[in-house]
Amino acid sequence: MNPKMLISPLSDVETGLLAVFAADAAKDKDAKPQIQMLTQDDAALKAAQAVLESGEFKAEPNETLLLHGPAGLKAKRLLLVGLGRTEKATIHDLRKAAGTAVRTAKPRAIREIAIAVPVGGALDAKLTVRALTEGALVADFDPDTYRSDRKDRSVQALRVVAGAAFDRAAAEDGLREGAIVGEAQNFTRSLVNEPGNRLTPAILGQRAAEMCREFGLACEVHSTDKLRELKMGAFWSVAQGSEEPPALIVMKYEPEGAISGPVLGLVGKGITFDTGGISIKPADNMEKMKYDMAGGAAMIGAMRAIAQLQPRVRVIGIVCAAENMPSGRAQKPGDVQIAMPAGPDRPGKSIEVINTDAEGRLVLADGLTYAKQLGATHLIDAATLTGAVSVALGTINAGVFSNDDAAYAQFAEGLKISGERFWRLPVEDDYRELIRSQIADIKNTGGRYGGAITAAMFLKEFAEETPWVHLDIAGMAWLDEAKPWIAAGPSGVAMRSILEWVRRYEV
Ligand code: BES
Ligand code: MN
Ligand code: ZN
């Protein structure tokens, strides 16, 4: 997409489509709309005047109106994009509105577009440009790589246009960050979009290693032997049923110069296909389980952005990749597995596997322990862990859980920038009882109620005292329907919020 900053009067911008935002300044929602164009450019204001007076455009969020050959502008088309009520518009509304502009241009094969930085608001200059760039990039992605009738209509040139009075340094910074973050999110989505036959655990490992090579991160991809050596009995119990060997992906980011302070451990669920194993899933919708590695992909995408943005904090990214299959070698309900030991004198916890379809928590248990062994002082994990989280929160919020209010507070601060929506659910000790086993230290399911919480309680046993944030993105990682600003399919959720969490620990 090649985004660039352009300092210029709007009327001089030569482009296929110039997007200008408009908001509704009406006092309350029942009052007649009072459309306010978020530009001071006379030509743009004039070009929009007639249609605004007609009342056809109400500036509702992501509402669009396309004008051809606008008089007084060099742009071929003028696109008005609504932002909703003036006082409510946030950075994230801008991100979506920029996306809406791109997704208006794409089907029309308009290859060059310009987006006008809105004027008159109180939003931070750098964040504004970052959000516009990010939103535009994310909107440019379509998951149609396997369609032979695919028409590549990606936007080839994006200009973000601001007037001469705009803080140019802030704008350039924002543009650079927005491009890095938007590309990392699309990278995450491209991984999530791959089907199980084309993205086995080993191939996911290769993709991570390629990314690390390209962006200067250390990376190791281990398999069965290393799982044995580390005594990762929980991770292996899932992997053992598949012909495809597991991959333990370890990515490391070290900032320049030796630094002290926290070491952040990012742990992702990388189930490249989840059949459920012997507790096999019904056929309906099983094809969706190719996206059961979305948490792992979010970590790989976050590491990519971290490598480019270079925050002053050490980060270790771990993805536990395996395929959950039924077979003659697969684990069975009732099997007892011994998780990775937490230290030389600390034998691994024994786990009674009630349901082989609760496999995500098994691979993550060993991933969390390993992250601590590698020195992580703070943990965050992301996983498409439970159907129950969508029962609780629908597809509007993902679930967040934490054993530490300070670590959670950092995550919540980051959400203000990422614009993603997460809702905190409890991991109080009273729930522990639900995963108590008669046979072993713990069992891997907790019965009918509070399924997202019991899954989180299971992970909490392995995070132990280390500050830990758990993200259950099962309801949010795949969009069944397109939105005006984003295609249907893999969303890339959590990557941006994990990145912002990491950046809050800079020393
Ligand atoms: N990968 C699934 C969770 C999932 C469901 C992700 C729907 C995305 C969409 C996970 O491994 C799983 O199967 N969880 C079980 C747990 C149960 C057996 C305790 C579930 O949610 O049904
Ligand atoms: Mn499962
Ligand atoms: Zn799963």
Side-chain angles (χ1 to χ4, degrees), residues 269 271 274 292 357 359-360 384:
K269 170 177 174 181
I271 300 297
D274 181 12
D292 213 15
D357 197 10
E359 85 296 343
T384 45

Side-chain angles (χ1 to χ4, degrees), residues 269 274-276 281 289 292 324 355-360 384-385:
K269 170 177 174 181
D274 181 12
T275 65
K281 286 180 182 295
M289 284 301 113
D292 213 15
N324 189 23
N355 189 317
T356 66
D357 197 10
E359 85 296 343
T384 45
L385 202 63

Side-chain angles (χ1 to χ4, degrees), residues 251-253 261-267 303 306 311-318 371 374-380 467 498-506:
M251 302 163 280
K252 282 190 185 156
Y253 166 73
V263 178
L264 306 179
L266 279 45
V267 183
M303 292 304 290
I306 289 164
R312 291 200 46 78
V313 58
R314 288 171 289 175
V315 188
I316 304 171
I318 294 177
L374 293 178
T377 58
H378 295 71
L379 297 166
I380 191 164
I498 293 159
L499 172 67
E500 294 310 323
W501 183 76
V502 166
R503 294 174 95 191
R504 295 201 55 85
Y505 285 90
E506 279 198 70

Side-chain angles (χ1 to χ4, degrees), residues 44 77 80 124 142 166 228 460:
R77 302 170 191 81
L80 308 187
D124 175 79
D142 273 293
F166 202 78
R228 291 238 165 80
K460 188 182 170 201

